[in-house]
Amino acid sequence: MILAPSTPAARTVVPVALEGRAYDIHIGRDQLAEAAALIAALAPGARAALVTDETVARLHADALEASLARAGIGTTRITIPPGEASKSYARFAAVCDALLDAKIERNDLVIAFGGGVVGDLAGFAAAVLRRGVRFVQIPTTLLAQVDSSVGGKTGINSSHGKNLIGAFHQPALVVADTALLDTLSQREFKAGYAEVVKYGLIDDPAFFDWCEVNWSRVIAGGPERDQAVAVSCRAKAAIVARDEREEGDRALLNLGHTFAHALERLTAYDSSRLVHGEAVAIGLALAFRFSQRLGLCPGQDAIRVSRHLDNIGLPSRLQQVPGGAGSAEDIVAAMAQDKKVKRGALTFILARGIGRSFIAPGIPADDVRGFIADELAG
Ligand code: GLY
């Protein structure tokens, strides 16, 4: 029998142009064998610790470890419980100790194989272990593929808020295998899609148009999914390259997030009520309606944003927060805890229209409170 040669899976490579810390994002279906080869080339003879969560371990870790073994990379697996609660001091200490137990040294690698929680926690451990070891991101959720795995933000939560303890530590490589997204629940996939839409809303109106037409094919997993991930990663890479440490433009990536973080806080980070991407979806719609109220954004654009989120099945209103979002006062107070608040003044990302977002510091809390009160009453 003559076997047809296997066709290499289509792949897009997006460079992140950071001087001295440049790396590539590889995007495509069925990329785990390729990931192993790239890791072997990155660190010949190195050992690797694979940090993952229980869900990803059950579904995908054996396949990745087998590919790494074939590429000559020995691995130790470190498995954490899934969910935001793992971004804790205690879990961070446990992962650091497990990396030391595994004798991961300066020339070895940490591989973050999971969603945003795994990436943030493993990346932070890599940033401080032996004063810094290289790490590779192999994100397994849409949210992680289009946002958190790129750009080097790592960290854990404290009782004072989310991501308040952390470090900038860029990965040495990101491999986004879009076939891994097939095992996500619809809810988790759609939540990640909110971050995809965000890139169109920030500065790419043509991409928002494209999303309106193609969103169902992105969810179904056709080439449109890879395209959405690639466009998102290109947008994020460009912003990170010009403002790695969020001293300017990178704050645009927080479109919708000041509202979102407050909602996550008020729902006690309880994923049965609200996951991050759902909070972002509400935050995006609110950012556009708030911009409209301030006379900045045409009403038609605010309606288009909400309609697109509604079509997908994402929430776009405070009333859709299960169990309620609290009062306008609660929401403003929760916003004041956000680390994006500077000297008591609220900073928002607002928009003059779809694809025309900008950083708006010094927004009076009374304006926000009045807007939210009307939203809750509406
Ligand atoms: N997720 C926002 C950022 O990476 O800056």
Side-chain angles (χ1 to χ4, degrees):
M1 185 170 65
I2 299 172
L3 290 175
S6 63
T7 319
R11 178 166 27 110
T12 303
V13 180
V14 174
V16 183
L18 283 168
E19 209 175 312
R21 295 178 312 293
Y23 55 96
D24 287 335
I25 309 163
H26 292 246
I27 300 153
R29 288 188 75 85
D30 304 318
Q31 294 296 309
L32 291 189
E34 182 64 19
L38 290 166
I39 290 167
L42 192 71
R47 301 187 63 258
L50 187 72
V51 182
T52 189
D53 70 24
E54 287 154 7
T55 311
V56 177
R58 184 166 38 78
L59 294 168
H60 306 297
D62 289 347
L64 179 58
E65 280 170 350
S67 291
L68 286 164
R70 279 193 293 275
I73 303 277
T75 49
T76 301
R77 190 189 295 187
I78 300 170
T79 307
I80 63 167
E84 193 69 27
S86 281
K87 282 175 62 176
S88 66
Y89 285 111
R91 190 62 61 188
F92 170 67
V95 168
C96 288
D97 282 337
L99 291 169
L100 293 170
D101 285 343
K103 308 224 170 346
I104 295 299
E105 297 181 355
R106 283 294 275 283
N107 291 328
D108 293 329
L109 282 173
V110 173
I111 302 174
F113 188 43
V117 168
V118 166
D120 286 5
L121 176 65
F124 186 39
V128 297
L129 187 83
R130 302 186 194 276
R131 300 205 174 88
V133 300
R134 287 178 299 173
F135 87 115
V136 171
Q137 289 266 22
I138 307 184
T140 58
T141 63
L142 181 59
L143 188 136
Q145 293 195 350
V146 299
D147 183 27
S148 60
S149 67
V150 176
K153 281 190 180 176
T154 71
I156 58 172
N157 304 329
S158 110
S159 56
H160 293 270
K162 262 184 92 164
N163 299 327
L164 292 179
I165 311 295
F168 285 98
H169 186 52
Q170 297 294 340
L173 169 72
V174 181
V175 181
D177 182 338
T178 54
L180 298 178
L181 308 181
D182 292 346
T183 54
L184 293 180
S185 68
Q186 283 279 306
R187 182 182 177 205
E188 201 171 358
F189 190 95
K190 288 178 178 179
Y193 182 83
E195 299 280 2
V196 172
V197 175
K198 183 185 78 176
Y199 292 107
L201 298 177
I202 290 174
D203 64 358
D204 191 349
F207 183 54
F208 184 78
D209 297 348
W210 182 92
C211 286
E212 285 181 314
V213 174
N214 290 290
W215 65 269
S216 57
R217 283 182 283 274
V218 174
I219 293 176
E224 290 84 359
R225 177 188 289 176
D226 292 12
Q227 198 177 336
V229 174
V231 171
S232 302
C233 287
R234 239 179 247 122
K236 179 141 189 192
I239 289 183
V240 167
R242 59 179 192 266
D243 179 24
E244 182 185 8
R245 299 182 75 87
E246 200 170 308
E247 286 151 355
D249 269 13
R250 185 164 179 167
L252 293 171
L253 296 172
N254 299 325
L255 179 62
H257 281 61
T258 305
F259 290 112
H261 286 162
L263 298 180
E264 288 182 273
R265 198 178 167 85
L266 289 167
T267 51
Y269 305 102
D270 176 354
S271 60
S272 70
R273 292 175 69 189
L274 205 63
V275 293
H276 177 68
E278 291 166 341
V280 169
I282 297 173
L284 293 173
L286 290 177
F288 271 76
R289 288 202 289 277
F290 189 37
S291 300
Q292 175 192 357
R293 180 180 170 108
L294 295 175
L296 296 164
C297 171
Q300 273 311 314
D301 283 16
I303 290 170
R304 256 180 91 190
V305 174
S306 299
R307 192 184 296 137
H308 184 47
L309 297 169
D310 294 344
N311 285 343
I312 291 151
L314 280 165
S316 63
R317 301 205 155 266
L318 290 169
Q319 289 82 348
Q320 289 169 281
V321 175
S327 66
E329 197 52 58
D330 294 337
I331 295 173
V332 172
M335 282 175 177
Q337 304 289 327
D338 198 299
K339 65 185 181 305
K340 286 146 193 117
V341 174
K342 287 204 175 90
R343 293 183 191 85
L346 292 160
T347 296
F348 280 88
I349 310 304
L350 298 178
R352 296 194 174 85
I354 287 170
R356 299 180 62 209
S357 67
F358 65 99
I359 302 164
I363 300 290
D366 281 348
D367 289 5
V368 185
R369 198 176 292 109
F371 166 67
I372 293 172
D374 288 351
E375 283 279 324
L376 288 168

